[in-house]
Amino acid sequence: MTNLASPTALDTAADEPAPSGRPARAGWRSLLPTMTPWLAIGLVLIGGITLFAVIAPYFVGDPREIRDMGLTGPSAEFPLGTTQTGQDVLAQLAFATRGSLQIGIIVGLLATALSALFGIYGAYKGKVLDEAFSLLTNVFLVIPGLPLVIVISGFVPRESRGLWTIAVVLAVTSWAGAARVLRAQTLSVRSRDYVAASQVSGEKSWRVIVVEILPNLLPVIASQFVFAVIAAILGEAGLSYIGLGASNSATLGTMLFYAQNGFALSLGAWWWFVPPGLMIALFGMGLSLVNFSIDELINPKLKNLRLHRKRARRAARLERELARDTTAKEAVR
Amino acid sequence: MNYFVRKLSFYAVALWAALTLNFAIPRMLPGNPVDILLAKLQQRGGTVTPETREAYALLLGGDSSDPLWVQYWDYLKNLARGDLGVSVSYYPTKVSDVILTSLPWTVVLVGIATIIAAVLGVALGAFVGWKPGTWLDTLVPSTTLLAAVPYFWLALILTYLLARVLGWFPMQGGYDVVLTPGWNWEFISSAITYGFLPALTIVLASIAGWLLGMRNMMVSTLSEDYILTAEAKGLTPMKILRSYASRNAVLPSVAGFAISLGFVVSGSVITEQVFSYPGIGGRLLGAVTNNDYALMQGVFLFITLAVLGANLVVDLLYGLIDPRTRARS
């Protein structure tokens, strides 16, 4: 009996890798990444930090309040200790996280819009416009961003250096990489038949772009947006750390700026300078992990790999069970 | 058009764009840098002659009565002569001299760190991507934490742990200040000890990008037909890994050098500040805090030139290692 059953079991395992009875993922669901442990960690990190940024500022005290206690380590009253002037580090962290996420999202949106304009529109129109846009993109790509941002911020007087100035400067210096990727993708989508059909039937170009081309690029745009947010948060933190950030803003970078100027490092006040950077790193990690899963949508070879692996594991398990079965039966016999 | 000619002309255009940006930025933005600069100069005991004023006005804009294109032409002529003005914060040293003394520090530091990070990252990525699905491979996403760490924060942590707590490395500076810079072993070994932490920072922060890129390309390459053919021919796995898979998978990493170098240079500018490293990034930030606009522009120009130059070299090499790029044109 076992001899008859074993080949069939293995055959079904090999022929029908997906559990039977579940319909194939179709329609808009195929645009969503598959849930993996890493994706789950990423979502939890992003969700947790966003929640912290939105809610925590309402529960902590005034981050600017100066107390007559100086630099103290973590305690029951102040879970993350206090700064040199007795300010609550946890309260500062809450407001700073909010500030950093804000600027990250603003810059992410601006940079993605710019890259879509130069990448998609240029590639769709083709000819001279495409040449000009792609030249502009490549030039912006090779000019190092942060030094340019530093120079621009250096020329703008401190009073007129608001949140939006910094956001626009960061966006203008960071869209190029995404535009190049989008251009390559658009070029391949543009030559497909249904796009040609839409053009022949006399649709306006904005409609062809939005209805026919854009949906194909959504995973790429999402991934570029995620990258833009990470880059913006990192860039803003760097700028603020060297004292060139937006005036009157509270971000994780300004926290590190004050920590550095308050000699947190030489005083060994790790509770002051570790949390802001860790917050940036964890949020960035969360976004990158989500990007990992989006990558699988863009590059099906990566996804197939995971499916193959799953299949191989299941086959191996079946084989082991069978082997155990046979030895058990033989032992009984 | 020939691939090499096309690349060269692109970088000529990029260079021109950088020069023009440098010309346009101070003129487009609010504030009057020339007056601030001249006031600083007088504080330092410099004499302000009409010629000095005119030289700064050419560099930074201001109340010059000449039409813009004449200013632009004169600006380009000044640059061609290597005249970037006089630095205010290092008065009376010329901007070009300040830059030339600090440039080697950054070029060596960033250059060596980038090469180490690229070689290690690509090798690890090839190794991990070669056997996808092993426990090592499932750990790959955790390297994104390293990629998302701000350079300067990583520098702070490393300084705190390795310099302050353990005391293995000096906290700040580029070399032992009692030594005079020169080509002797004592000075070089001191420079290496001082440069270790900055280099480690750059390597740790940039290695993940190389690793991830290489790993993903490796996975894609493994499903190509020529790998199957190589296996069918009975070649040893090591041979396939080295001569077939890695060689093809590494190409996008090389082509993406431009983007990564920009990131590394940007990151190292601020890292230098943490370590008070005598490189060009520290000079740039010092210039910004001192309103030394001439030095600021000079440094930006040099950083851009260096990045453009490195990219040009990589692009030309790329044309050699991947014949397809030449054929496409």
Side-chain angles (χ1 to χ4, degrees):
Chain A
M1 198 58 204
T2 40
N3 283 341
L4 264 174
S6 56
T8 31
L10 277 175
D11 277 349
T12 45
D15 291 339
E16 277 179 47
S20 49
R22 200 203 285 171
R25 289 154 61 86
W28 63 271
R29 276 189 55 128
S30 66
L31 281 175
L32 291 179
T34 330
M35 196 49 112
T36 56
W38 283 112
L39 177 61
I41 294 176
L43 290 176
V44 167
L45 279 176
I46 296 176
I49 292 174
T50 313
L51 218 59
F52 176 72
V54 173
I55 295 176
Y58 294 109
F59 290 95
V60 293
D62 181 8
R64 294 206 186 90
E65 192 189 337
I66 293 168
R67 292 176 195 79
D68 191 16
M69 57 193 297
L71 198 65
T72 53
S75 61
E77 195 189 350
F78 302 110
L80 284 176
T82 57
T83 71
Q84 200 187 23
T85 48
Q87 293 167 321
D88 184 1
V89 174
L90 183 66
Q92 290 198 339
L93 190 68
F95 280 95
T97 309
R98 177 187 272 186
S100 277
L101 293 199
Q102 233 167 14
I103 204 148
I105 291 169
I106 293 174
V107 177
L109 288 176
L110 283 178
T112 310
L114 277 176
S115 61
L117 172 69
F118 286 105
I120 302 178
Y121 189 68
Y124 176 75
K125 279 292 179 184
K127 301 211 178 84
V128 185
L129 194 70
D130 182 34
E131 288 287 328
F133 276 9
S134 97
L135 181 67
L136 189 73
T137 307
N138 286 332
V139 167
F140 263 92
L141 200 63
V142 285
I143 292 179
L146 196 75
L148 182 60
V149 174
I150 292 175
V151 169
I152 295 179
S153 318
F155 275 112
V156 180
R158 180 143 186 86
E159 332 49 279
S160 50
R161 210 189 291 144
L163 178 82
W164 281 95
T165 317
I166 297 297
V168 167
V169 169
L170 280 172
V172 164
T173 51
S174 65
W175 55 272
R180 191 151 84 162
V181 176
L182 284 178
R183 174 173 177 264
Q185 292 280 330
T186 310
L187 285 180
S188 85
V189 174
R190 193 186 61 167
S191 54
R192 288 184 197 163
D193 286 344
Y194 57 81
V195 176
S198 179
Q199 279 167 330
V200 168
S201 66
E203 298 285 12
K204 290 194 175 63
S205 41
W206 67 265
R207 205 191 130 83
V208 180
I209 291 178
V210 172
V211 177
E212 310 291 347
I213 295 182
L214 214 54
N216 289 291
L217 299 178
L218 271 184
V220 187
I221 293 178
S223 144
Q224 299 299 340
F225 172 72
V226 168
F227 267 130
V229 173
I230 304 176
I233 291 179
L234 284 175
E236 195 279 334
L239 267 187
S240 293
Y241 175 71
I242 54 178
L244 284 177
S247 51
N248 298 325
S249 74
T251 64
L252 296 165
T254 37
M255 257 186 100
L256 286 166
F257 170 72
Y258 285 118
Q260 168 87 351
N261 285 8
F263 302 104
L265 201 63
S266 30
L267 293 171
W270 56 266
W271 59 87
W272 194 359
F273 66 82
V274 170
L278 201 60
M279 193 64 96
I280 298 177
L282 287 178
F283 192 71
M285 182 185 181
L287 289 176
S288 309
L289 288 177
V290 169
N291 239 358
F292 241 65
S293 307
I294 302 178
D295 267 352
E296 286 193 348
L297 288 181
I298 302 171
N299 184 356
K301 280 177 182 166
L302 295 178
K303 183 176 189 165
N304 289 342
L305 173 81
R306 195 160 43 77
L307 295 181
H308 277 305
R309 235 150 55 198
K310 225 177 184 172
R311 227 173 283 178
R313 269 204 301 274
R314 193 177 301 126
R317 199 165 53 231
L318 264 175
E319 214 159 338
R320 265 203 311 278
E321 276 169 16
L322 274 169
R324 223 181 12 247
D325 268 7
T326 352
T327 40
K329 286 209 172 123
E330 269 166 14
V332 166
R333 206 178 287 162
Chain B
M1 220 195 310
N2 187 309
Y3 173 78
F4 296 102
V5 175
R6 221 181 40 199
K7 277 294 161 197
L8 279 173
S9 46
F10 165 71
Y11 280 100
V13 172
L15 176 64
W16 170 78
L19 293 180
T20 309
L21 259 182
N22 211 19
F23 174 80
I25 287 171
R27 286 171 171 77
M28 286 185 333
L29 295 172
N32 193 347
V34 178
D35 287 342
I36 301 175
L37 205 58
L38 291 177
K40 284 242 169 192
L41 201 63
Q42 269 170 332
Q43 276 172 16
R44 300 268 167 150
T47 44
V48 179
T49 57
E51 287 86 58
T52 356
R53 192 179 178 86
E54 199 194 349
Y56 278 131
L58 275 183
L59 208 58
L60 306 165
D63 49 9
S64 176
S65 50
D66 288 334
L68 212 56
W69 65 271
V70 176
Q71 291 179 34
Y72 184 60
W73 181 242
D74 287 345
Y75 158 83
L76 286 184
K77 271 200 297 198
N78 268 3
L79 280 188
R81 276 188 284 120
D83 182 5
L84 293 167
V86 174
S87 160
V88 176
S89 44
Y90 295 89
Y91 188 80
T93 322
K94 276 196 280 184
V95 166
S96 41
D97 291 341
V98 176
I99 293 174
L100 284 181
T101 47
S102 51
L103 196 62
W105 290 99
T106 302
V107 169
V108 171
L109 174 72
V110 173
I112 293 181
T114 305
I115 291 170
I116 293 176
V119 170
L120 268 183
V122 165
L124 282 175
F127 182 70
V128 171
W130 174 243
K131 288 240 172 80
T134 54
W135 62 271
L136 208 60
D137 188 40
T138 50
L139 286 182
V140 164
S142 60
T143 56
T144 51
L145 181 68
L146 272 184
V149 166
Y151 276 61
F152 59 94
W153 182 73
L154 190 63
L156 285 176
I157 298 292
L158 288 178
T159 323
Y160 180 69
L161 290 178
L162 297 181
R164 190 175 177 280
V165 177
L166 294 172
W168 289 352
F169 297 98
M171 276 177 85
Q172 291 192 325
Y175 55 93
D176 202 338
V177 280
V178 299
L179 302 170
T180 39
W183 288 111
N184 51 55
W185 173 241
E186 205 182 1
F187 174 73
I188 292 173
S189 67
S190 149
I192 291 175
T193 332
Y194 276 80
F196 190 85
L197 275 187
L200 184 66
T201 309
I202 298 175
V203 169
L204 278 182
S206 58
I207 197 170
W210 295 101
L211 197 157
L212 284 177
M214 184 64 188
R215 182 255 172 198
N216 281 357
M217 271 320 290
M218 199 70 183
V219 171
S220 303
T221 309
L222 285 184
S223 56
E224 295 285 349
D225 287 340
Y226 53 76
I227 299 290
L228 196 68
T229 315
E231 276 168 6
K233 280 197 292 192
L235 296 178
T236 58
M238 268 323 277
K239 173 114 181 139
I240 301 176
L241 172 65
R242 265 188 293 113
S243 313
Y244 289 71
S246 304
R247 274 194 183 188
N248 285 295
V250 83
L251 290 175
S253 294
V254 177
F257 187 77
I259 309 165
S260 49
L261 190 69
F263 268 114
V264 174
V265 168
S266 301
S268 67
V269 165
I270 300 180
T271 308
E272 284 184 10
Q273 169 80 352
V274 176
F275 292 105
S276 306
Y277 202 72
I280 206 161
R283 293 282 178 277
L284 176 61
L285 299 183
V288 170
T289 40
N290 287 318
N291 288 334
D292 190 350
Y293 297 111
L295 181 58
M296 206 160 96
Q297 282 202 300
V299 171
F300 171 67
L301 214 55
F302 262 82
I303 293 181
T304 313
L305 272 181
V307 171
L308 287 185
N311 276 318
L312 175 62
V313 171
V314 169
D315 266 356
L316 293 183
L317 281 179
Y318 192 72
L320 287 180
I321 53 177
D322 189 356
R324 284 172 300 183
T325 42
R326 267 173 293 157
R328 217 178 284 146
S329 52

